[in-house]
Amino acid sequence: MLRLPAVAGRFYPSNPAELTSLVNKYAKKEPGNAPARVRACLVPHAGYVYSGHVAGAVFARVALPKKILILGVRHFPRGEPVAILSKGAWRTPLGDGEIDASLAETLRGECRLLQEDSVAHSAEHSLEVQLPFLQVLAPGFKFVPVALGTLRYEDLVSVGEAVARVLAAQSEDVLLLTTSDLNHYEDDATTRRKDRKAIDQLLATDARGLYDTCRKEEISMCGLGPAVAMLTALRAIGAKNAQLVRYATSGDVSGDYDAVVGYAGMIFH
C-alpha cells in the first residue's frame, strides 16, 4: 500500500527544496550537544510554523537509528482504535518512507489489540509530519506507524507492554518516536500551568500519574494515549531518565495568547 500525503502544503511545505531547508533549520545541531542514543522521544505534531522548532530541537539531539516505531494519535473518529499499517510506504514531497514489515509483524504478534487499518491512518497528520524530519536526517530509515484512538488505560498499557517486549528483543536500535501536543485552546498562562503538571509526570516516567493528572486537571493533551503507552514501555525496559529539551506555545509564534496550544519536546534514556 502507498499512503499519500494528507497535509503537505498545509502543515509543512509541499516544495521539496523548501521543506528540506526548513527541516535543516529547525534541527540544526547546537555546539556542545552531540546527538545521543536514546530509547524514546516525544515531539509535537502541529504545523511546522508553530511546533517545528520544538520537534527539530529534539531531532537535533537524537542519534537517529534506521528503525523507528512511531506512536501517533487518531484524531478523527474513523477506523480502528489501535491501528497499524504493516506493509508499503508513506509518501511525502521528499519521496517514500518505507514501512518496516518485519518489525510491524513482530509488534502485531505481541499485541492482540493492533488491527491492520488504512482508514485510521488515511487523514491522520500526527505521524505524517514526522516523516520529513526522518527523511532528511536519517536517510534509509524504515518505520512502523501506529495510531491510537483509544483512551482506555488498560488498552494503552497493553500496547506499551507489547512495545516493550518488541524493543527488548531487537538486535538493532529502535527509536520509539511518540507524538503529542499538550493543552489546547486555553489562554497562555493556563496552558503553561497545566502543561507543567503533565510534563512533571512525563519526567517521572509515570504512565498512571500522567493519565490521572490529565483527567483530573482537564489537560487536553491529544496524544495522551501514545504517551501513556510510551511511558509503560519505558518503565518495562528500565528506561527512567527523561529530559525536557524545549517547551513553547503557539502564542510564541502567533502573538495570540488568548487561545494557545502547548508543545513539549522530550527525550528518554
Side-chain angles (χ1 to χ4, degrees), residues 41-257:
C41 63
L42 179 78
V43 292
H45 53 244
Y48 280 19
V49 66
Y50 295 110
S51 69
H53 66 294
V54 177
V58 171
F59 287 120
R61 298 284 292 274
V62 173
L64 293 168
K66 294 300 183 181
K67 291 178 176 284
I68 317 284
L69 199 168
I70 308 179
L71 295 181
V73 187
R74 193 201 68 181
H75 281 92
F76 306 102
R78 297 191 295 269
E80 296 289 339
V82 185
I84 190 172
L85 285 177
S86 300
K87 296 179 181 178
W90 286 35
R91 179 163 292 170
T92 80
L94 302 180
D96 294 347
E98 183 181 352
I99 292 175
D100 190 320
S102 176
L103 183 61
E105 285 301 318
T106 300
L107 181 58
R108 285 187 66 191
E110 289 290 343
C111 185
R112 61 175 180 80
L113 295 175
L114 276 170
Q115 298 296 315
E116 191 76 19
D117 181 34
S118 62
V119 174
H121 287 280
S122 61
E124 179 51 54
H125 63 274
S126 65
L127 295 96
E128 179 182 329
V129 299
Q130 313 308 325
L131 296 185
F133 279 100
L134 300 176
Q135 287 173 308
V136 172
L137 302 173
F141 79 98
K142 293 183 180 181
F143 76 109
V144 176
V146 175
L148 298 179
T150 180
L151 278 177
R152 290 187 71 248
Y153 184 75
E154 295 77 11
D155 289 350
L156 299 172
V157 169
S158 180
V159 172
E161 289 174 345
V163 167
R165 291 192 294 271
V166 170
L167 295 179
Q170 296 300 303
S171 59
E172 300 176 65
D173 286 348
V174 178
L175 174 67
L176 180 55
L177 170 56
T178 305
T179 178
S180 179
D181 297 338
L182 298 184
N183 197 56
H184 287 62
Y185 308 134
E186 294 188 89
D187 66 85
D188 193 78
T190 299
T191 289
R192 289 177 183 271
R193 175 178 55 80
K194 287 188 172 185
D195 286 351
R196 185 68 246 183
K197 293 180 180 182
I199 289 169
D200 284 345
Q201 299 302 319
L202 285 158
L203 289 171
T205 62
D206 186 345
R208 183 83 234 190
L210 177 65
Y211 187 86
D212 290 345
T213 296
C214 285
R215 288 304 186 88
K216 178 183 176 182
E217 302 292 337
E218 298 183 336
I219 303 168
S220 52
M221 178 180 179
C222 59
L224 175 59
V228 167
M230 173 192 70
L231 294 178
T232 300
L234 290 172
R235 276 295 181 98
I237 62 176
K240 298 181 180 180
N241 296 321
Q243 179 183 356
L244 177 64
V245 175
R246 183 169 293 181
Y247 174 80
T249 74
S250 58
D252 296 330
V253 174
S254 69
D256 177 3
Y257 295 101

